[in-house]
Amino acid sequence: MEVIFRIKRFDGGSSYWDEFKVPINMTVLEALFYIKENIDSTLAFRAFCRMGICGSCAIRINKKPMLACETQISKLEKETIELEPLKNFNVIKDLVTDFEGFFKKQKLAKPYLIRKSKGEIQQTPKQLEEYYKYTLCIKCGACVSACPVAKRCLGPAPVVAAHRFNRDSRDEGKEERLKALSDHIWHCHFVSDCSEVCPKNLHPAEVVQKVRLEVLKFNLGW
Amino acid sequence: MSLNTIAFYLHRITGVVLSLYLCMHFTFLTSLKTGDYERLVKASKEFFVLHLLLFLACIYHGVNGIRLVIHEFGYMYKYRKILLYLTFVITFVIWVLFCWKVIK
Amino acid sequence: MKFRYDVVIVGAGLAGMRAAIAIAEKNEDVSVAMVSKTYPTRCHSVCAEGGTAAVFDKEDSLDLHAWDTVKGADFLADQDAVELFVSECPKEILTLDAWGCPWSRTEDGKIALRPFGGQSLNRTVFAKDRTGFHEVHTLYERILQYPNIEIFSEYFLTGLIVENDEIKGLTAIDIKTGELTLFEAKAVILATGGAGRLYGFTTYSHNVTGDGMAVAYRCGVPLKDMEFFQFHPTGLVPSGILMTEACRGEGGYLLNKDKERFMKRYAPEKMELAPRDVVARAMWKEMIEGRALEGEHGLYIALDLTHLGEKKIKARLPLIREAAINFAGIDPVEKPLPIKPVAHYTMGGIHVNKNCETDVKGLYATGEVACISIHGANRLGSNSTSECLVFGRIAGENALDFVLNKDFKLVKEDEFFEEERKIEEIFNKNGSESPYAIKKELNEVMDNYLWIFREESGMKKAVQKIKELKERYKDVKITDKSKSFNTDLIYTIEIGYMLDLAEAVAVCALFRKESRGAHYRLDYQKRDDVNWLKHSLAYKTADGVKVDYAPVTITKWEPVERKY
């Protein structure tokens, strides 16, 4: 059994569509390697851990941003599958997009533990669960690709990172972080596609609203 | 394009349409002389269909706006899909009722 | 392009990032560049699952941790390095705690511990089953705060520039533009990770190809103990994705087709929690002797977690469940997982001392790329992430001491042009061989002849075959002639690296006429301390691999028979 991959290529100058036949019984990422190793070795894509935890291989599969490694072709239930690079990123080549800006934006949200106190730290499992879910962001860029306003603001991922530390009982830098966020967080229109595409189900749309309320309260001094 | 994104663009477009209309509307109103009912009635007849569509835009923008406010204040996130469908349904129902009332 | 930094770290995994932080913590004026072929959060360290070993239990002691490590290593570990290592582990855990690592906790808020293979007591600190992922993210977040650390992501290491046994810098391809870039440095720390993609069935990420090892090896730095390659007992069939040892630590069983917990015949005391070499060998034996299960992807052993219950699996092993569902279509809550032994860790590596120094002045190696050697012939589970943290810091601090009050040694234009010429030469190759076919054959050779059970004839074949592949590699074809993001070129260079490393592995393995730890020979089934209690050192020469030997440092523990 075979399916057809329609891949949007870009060679630095022009972009065009290319078609390849690939076996159905593999993941999208394995099929990309199949193409690279057997049909066209000029195809460029990013891949690393192939187990859904490094965040390298997010591309748009039939318009939806997904991790290529986690997606079984058979589950897509289509005979033709369209692969495109992520939106809202500059394309470098074929399915590879430029992530420099994405990682620079992360920094603006101060996504790190701010702690002045010294000495032994305690944290109960309950306190851990308060924020644990939000530590799972793999920075794959799927949420940014789905967001129609991401180009003009931080995008969902950094806000999730900030929220993770705001809820961490060890952290002492929430105010600093909210101050840093207050210039960057108002563009969200609750399109909420970021929540639909997040491969780790972190619900960035909900998080952004929560953080916005916190920033609002902080700025108003409530 | 997902329904979420469509809702977002519709909100934008209806917003722009409404503000443009408001500007035109105010210009028109200020250009009226006292007791100039004839022109007023004529205009409302000429643009009857457009007015109906304008009201559709107005209802959508309002209902969708309420939906967004609900979410922005952190409520009903879990029911976001239902709320989205409801927005379209409610908009349509209100509009049909309005049209029925006006045409009758 | 040309950059100049006091210290250049190659590799942005746990060890590389820890080294960078160690330097920046102590000195704000020393400039540090972290050069790596991926973004830091995409490194292979994120795939570490089970945990990080450190002594926290009240009944535990540093000596006990050291003893377990030495015994696990089948006495090939350098014991002075092991003692240093175990004494530093707990500090690193607490440091990471203060930097925000979400360690799993006990009810009273303390750091929780879980049992792991080959350990006398619970000694593995963990963050669910995503320990490496959280450690990497914690270090990455920390790095954002230091202004003197510059990150160069997607730069591919191509060569070190060494003169008179002193490092002067390195060259790397900027993958995005395709340009060869020169980094001048007073000190270079290699932290590029292992060489696991030598094998076809492996837990490793796609690009873990031993770049640092190969580049150093080509500069004349010896590789130590390359014949010791760890096979993890539980790789998911068919993809080879790691099912952490914590599955067994939390109480999972290994079952053969008779639903028998066969480990009772091989390690009656430790059962499933014997060291990895013992368990992997036992499993392979079961498979060879016809007691394995059979599915559409061939033979496998069952990893049964069903008796742990949904609640425990969801709380302690969420990633395992997610991966098993996504990649094998099986929920471990309901059904046992199909697994078999899988290539997992390179015990060998660049020959360094316990200060992470190589014989080249200013060149350091740390993490999996280095062989310090604390893992000897077999690494214990959860010692690798500890090693990255402990020796990452040590490498960083030593490199910092080295660069203070030192001047840059200028890299001559000719030296750079020479590197550029080498890359050009590969880039322009227009032969008839597909690099991917060569890689596939290399993987088959390694999987067939240098797997868990080895013997003379097979290894001789492997050496021969690798030589042939190296010849064929000279006639390789690079189809992609574009500059930007040319992964065809990058993969081809990587395959060249792997061929060199595979040769070292095969030759060292062929020479070692004994069974020790992960190196098990059917023709020499016993350990031979009289002749072989020594490290192999592989040197690259014009006529192939030259193997030399170095003594093992023994401080407290004389070799005894290894039983579990």
Side-chain angles (χ1 to χ4, degrees):
Chain A
M1 280 275 277
E2 284 181 329
V3 290
I4 292 169
F5 267 20
R6 282 193 81 220
I7 301 181
K8 193 167 190 186
R9 311 277 307 257
F10 176 71
D11 56 12
S14 55
S15 75
Y16 55 96
W17 290 89
D18 224 346
E19 286 190 9
F20 303 94
K21 267 192 188 155
V22 295
I24 194 168
N25 58 345
M26 42 174 77
T27 63
V28 172
L29 185 64
E30 283 163 349
L32 288 173
F33 272 107
Y34 174 85
I35 294 169
K36 182 142 187 103
E37 290 172 7
N38 300 300
I39 308 174
D40 183 354
S41 58
T42 64
L43 181 68
F45 54 91
R46 278 202 190 92
F48 207 61
C49 77
R50 58 88 168 89
M51 57 182 282
I53 195 154
C54 79
S56 302
C57 65
I59 51 173
R60 281 192 300 148
I61 303 174
N62 291 336
K63 306 284 180 210
K64 186 180 172 189
M66 295 164 99
L67 296 182
C69 70
E70 279 189 343
T71 310
Q72 301 285 351
I73 299 175
S74 55
K75 290 223 170 115
L76 293 169
E77 294 176 349
K78 287 251 161 72
E79 276 164 28
T80 305
I81 291 157
E82 274 187 9
L83 305 182
E84 293 165 85
L86 292 180
K87 259 193 199 170
N88 296 328
F89 291 88
N90 293 329
V91 182
I92 298 175
K93 185 179 173 184
D94 299 343
L95 300 173
V96 178
T97 46
D98 194 349
F99 263 71
E100 279 305 321
F102 174 85
F103 280 103
K104 279 213 178 91
K105 276 183 183 174
Q106 289 280 329
K107 213 171 157 173
L108 289 174
K110 295 187 187 264
Y112 39 77
L113 199 81
I114 299 171
R115 186 179 166 85
K116 304 236 155 48
S117 323
K118 299 264 185 270
E120 204 195 326
I121 298 168
Q122 301 222 329
Q123 186 168 59
T124 62
K126 210 176 150 206
Q127 287 171 320
L128 176 70
E129 289 310 318
E130 276 289 301
Y131 70 91
Y132 183 77
K133 183 178 157 189
Y134 303 110
T135 63
L136 298 180
C137 173
I138 56 173
K139 304 187 177 28
C140 64
C143 55
V144 172
S145 176
C147 176
V149 295
K151 273 198 167 167
R152 271 168 286 146
C153 61
L154 277 182
V159 185
V160 175
H163 190 58
R164 171 242 179 279
F165 287 101
N166 283 345
R167 292 169 72 108
D168 191 328
S169 62
R170 296 168 294 183
D171 183 73
E172 294 164 357
K174 186 170 175 183
E175 291 193 355
E176 205 177 307
R177 214 169 284 118
L178 292 180
K179 213 183 266 175
L181 283 171
S182 54
D183 292 338
H184 303 286
I185 202 166
W186 306 110
H187 283 85
C188 177
H189 290 259
F190 198 82
V191 175
S192 77
D193 270 348
C194 51
S195 290
E196 312 306 331
V197 303
C198 176
K200 299 292 149 188
N201 288 321
L202 302 187
H203 298 287
E206 186 186 22
V207 173
V208 172
Q209 312 315 315
K210 280 185 182 164
V211 174
R212 272 215 306 211
L213 276 180
E214 281 177 352
V215 172
L216 193 69
K217 281 183 191 158
F218 171 74
N219 283 346
L220 293 172
W222 288 354
Chain B
M1 207 186 280
S2 72
L3 197 59
N4 285 321
T5 319
I6 293 171
F8 163 69
Y9 282 120
L10 277 181
H11 197 74
R12 278 264 155 116
I13 294 165
T14 52
V16 172
V17 167
L18 286 178
S19 16
L20 281 180
Y21 170 76
L22 269 181
C23 295
M24 280 159 54
H25 186 59
F26 285 136
T27 325
F28 178 72
L29 283 185
T30 44
S31 72
L32 288 175
K33 288 173 225 126
T34 345
D36 202 353
Y37 295 117
E38 239 168 73
R39 240 182 105 197
L40 203 59
V41 173
K42 204 177 143 205
S44 76
K45 273 185 185 161
E46 264 174 23
F47 296 108
F48 181 67
V49 178
L50 275 182
H51 269 132
L52 289 185
L53 288 177
L54 185 78
F55 197 70
L56 178 62
C58 186
I59 304 166
Y60 175 76
H61 198 82
V63 176
N64 194 45
I66 292 169
R67 177 181 75 96
L68 292 180
V69 170
I70 290 172
H71 288 314
E72 279 170 1
F73 278 92
Y75 299 111
M76 303 187 78
Y77 171 77
K78 267 192 192 157
Y79 307 102
R80 62 192 184 283
K81 279 197 177 151
I82 298 173
L83 249 59
L84 182 66
Y85 297 137
L86 267 182
T87 303
F88 288 106
V89 174
I90 292 174
T91 305
F92 190 70
V93 169
I94 297 180
W95 186 63
V96 169
L97 284 175
F98 170 80
C99 292
W100 183 65
K101 180 111 190 165
V102 172
I103 293 167
K104 199 183 74 171
Chain C
M1 277 296 266
K2 181 174 151 181
F3 294 102
R4 180 181 267 196
Y5 286 87
D6 293 322
V7 183
V8 175
I9 298 167
V10 191
L14 271 182
M17 287 202 274
R18 187 65 189 89
I21 295 173
I23 297 168
E25 284 259 289
K26 283 204 158 176
N27 194 316
E28 285 180 7
D29 305 320
V30 169
S31 58
V32 181
M34 205 166 68
V35 179
S36 91
K37 67 176 172 183
T38 62
Y39 286 94
T41 59
R42 321 272 197 237
C43 62
H44 180 60
S45 304
V46 295
C47 301
E49 293 173 358
T52 298
V55 172
F56 276 103
D57 194 315
K58 281 207 177 72
E59 286 167 24
D60 203 355
S61 71
L62 297 178
D63 265 3
L64 198 55
H65 186 186
W67 161 245
D68 284 342
T69 304
V70 169
K71 186 182 168 196
D74 222 346
F75 300 92
L76 195 70
D78 284 332
Q79 296 179 7
D80 56 339
V82 174
E83 287 184 70
L84 170 69
F85 162 68
V86 296
S87 66
E88 297 293 321
C89 291
K91 278 181 232 165
E92 288 301 320
I93 301 292
L94 295 178
T95 308
L96 253 64
D97 196 10
W99 291 347
C101 190
W103 297 125
S104 290
R105 305 278 174 165
T106 58
E107 279 307 318
D108 56 351
K110 295 210 168 66
I111 291 170
L113 299 168
R114 69 160 46 130
F116 239 65
Q119 294 172 349
S120 309
L121 288 160
N122 291 2
R123 194 181 289 138
T124 298
V125 176
F126 61 103
K128 305 227 171 180
D129 58 353
R130 301 185 185 94
T131 312
F133 172 79
H134 290 306
E135 287 172 346
V136 165
H137 280 247
T138 304
L139 292 184
Y140 173 68
E141 285 147 6
R142 187 78 192 166
I143 276 189
L144 296 178
Q145 302 172 61
Y146 297 106
N148 53 335
I149 302 176
E150 194 86 42
I151 303 174
F152 290 86
S153 294
E154 301 193 324
Y155 279 72
F156 175 73
L157 176 69
T158 59
L160 296 173
I161 299 172
V162 178
E163 192 181 42
N164 299 329
D165 274 340
E166 205 161 340
I167 193 90
K168 298 203 293 189
L170 58 89
T171 52
I173 298 174
D174 177 357
I175 301 177
K176 194 168 146 187
T177 62
E179 253 179 77
L180 191 70
T181 310
L182 173 68
F183 288 87
E184 281 186 325
K186 296 176 187 170
V188 170
I189 302 175
L190 293 175
T192 55
R197 280 279 157 180
L198 290 179
Y199 289 90
F201 189 62
T202 171
T203 60
Y204 280 90
S205 299
H206 279 290
N207 310 27
V208 189
T209 47
D211 307 352
M213 280 182 205
V215 166
Y217 181 53
R218 287 175 181 181
C219 285
V221 180
L223 300 179
K224 186 160 69 187
D225 293 340
M226 287 302 284
E227 65 271 38
F228 297 103
F229 214 102
Q230 181 162 76
F231 298 92
H232 195 290
T234 52
L236 191 65
V237 178
S239 56
I241 286 170
L242 176 66
M243 295 288 108
T244 170
E245 190 162 324
C247 293
R248 286 167 287 140
E250 296 292 345
Y253 299 147
L254 293 174
L255 304 176
N256 60 19
K257 72 171 180 190
D258 308 320
K259 300 214 163 132
E260 177 202 20
R261 281 179 75 188
F262 56 86
M263 279 311 296
K264 68 182 179 220
R265 285 185 272 118
Y266 301 89
E269 201 179 311
K270 285 268 176 191
M271 296 293 283
E272 279 87 355
L273 285 179
R276 289 173 179 171
D277 60 330
V278 177
V279 183
R281 255 195 310 278
M283 288 170 67
W284 206 250
K285 208 157 177 221
E286 292 294 303
M287 289 168 75
I288 289 174
E289 292 176 358
R291 287 191 293 276
L293 295 95
E294 204 168 346
E296 57 171 323
H297 302 288
L299 297 177
Y300 69 90
I301 298 285
L303 172 63
D304 190 5
L305 302 175
T306 50
H307 58 284
L308 299 182
E310 187 171 351
K311 203 176 152 202
K312 188 165 184 183
I313 291 177
K314 277 186 176 165
R316 292 290 188 101
L317 304 165
L319 176 66
I320 292 305
R321 181 160 183 257
E322 192 185 308
I325 292 173
N326 282 339
F327 299 103
I330 294 174
D331 186 345
V333 172
E334 289 159 8
K335 269 165 78 186
L337 299 172
I339 47 115
K340 64 180 183 186
V342 57
H344 180 63
Y345 187 85
T346 325
M347 260 83 72
I350 298 171
H351 172 47
V352 293
N353 60 19
K354 66 176 183 187
N355 296 324
C356 301
E357 295 157 341
T358 64
D359 298 337
V360 175
K361 258 184 249 158
L363 178 65
Y364 298 78
T366 183
E368 194 176 341
V369 73
C371 178
I372 291 173
S373 114
I374 59 166
H375 305 312
N378 171 60
R379 173 175 73 81
L380 287 192
S382 76
N383 264 354
S384 67
T385 41
S386 311
E387 181 200 13
C388 289
L389 296 172
V390 169
F391 286 100
R393 180 173 62 71
I394 289 174
E397 284 172 357
N398 287 328
L400 174 63
D401 288 343
F402 180 83
V403 300
L404 291 174
N405 310 316
K406 253 214 167 55
D407 282 327
F408 283 100
K409 295 233 172 342
L410 289 183
V411 175
K412 289 174 215 120
E413 268 193 342
D414 286 352
E415 289 172 304
F416 179 68
F417 288 147
E418 174 60 22
E419 288 294 328
E420 212 168 31
R421 192 194 56 77
K422 278 189 214 162
I423 302 300
E424 278 292 305
E425 197 186 307
I426 302 177
F427 183 71
N428 290 326
K429 287 220 168 182
N430 237 334
S432 54
E433 292 283 349
S434 151
Y436 307 103
I438 293 180
K439 186 186 165 212
K440 204 170 159 213
E441 283 182 46
L442 173 68
N443 287 161
E444 279 164 14
V445 169
M446 299 299 286
D447 283 359
N448 289 332
Y449 303 122
L450 289 155
W451 197 246
I452 300 171
F453 290 161
R454 303 167 173 184
E455 58 189 331
E456 182 98 10
S457 58
M459 287 188 284
K460 275 192 173 148
K461 257 187 231 161
V463 173
Q464 189 52 39
K465 190 82 210 240
I466 292 166
K467 279 208 178 102
E468 276 170 43
L469 290 174
K470 283 182 89 164
E471 273 310 306
R472 282 170 53 192
Y473 179 77
K474 288 179 187 160
D475 188 37
V476 87
K477 178 184 173 71
I478 292 186
T479 318
D480 194 346
K481 297 294 180 195
S482 66
K483 277 278 183 193
S484 171
F485 229 94
N486 187 341
T487 45
D488 201 20
L489 171 68
I490 304 290
Y491 289 169
T492 307
I493 300 176
E494 284 175 353
I495 292 162
Y497 289 163
M498 288 200 282
L499 287 168
D500 278 359
L501 296 174
E503 194 180 21
V505 172
V507 171
C508 288
L510 179 63
F511 282 12
R512 186 175 282 272
K513 292 194 166 52
E514 63 155 351
S515 289
R516 182 186 295 274
H519 176 66
Y520 187 82
R521 288 184 63 148
L522 294 168
D523 41 359
Y524 298 90
Q525 298 194 2
K526 285 265 168 338
R527 194 176 80 198
D528 177 0
D529 289 331
V530 180
N531 297 308
W532 288 103
L533 186 57
K534 56 189 180 185
H535 298 296
S536 336
L537 294 177
Y539 292 86
K540 188 175 165 64
T541 66
D543 351 298
V545 187
K546 192 191 104 199
V547 183
D548 205 350
Y549 293 93
V552 174
T553 312
I554 289 178
T555 56
K556 285 186 187 164
W557 300 280
E558 286 298 326
V560 293
E561 200 197 341
R562 192 162 162 253
K563 266 192 187 159
Y564 287 98

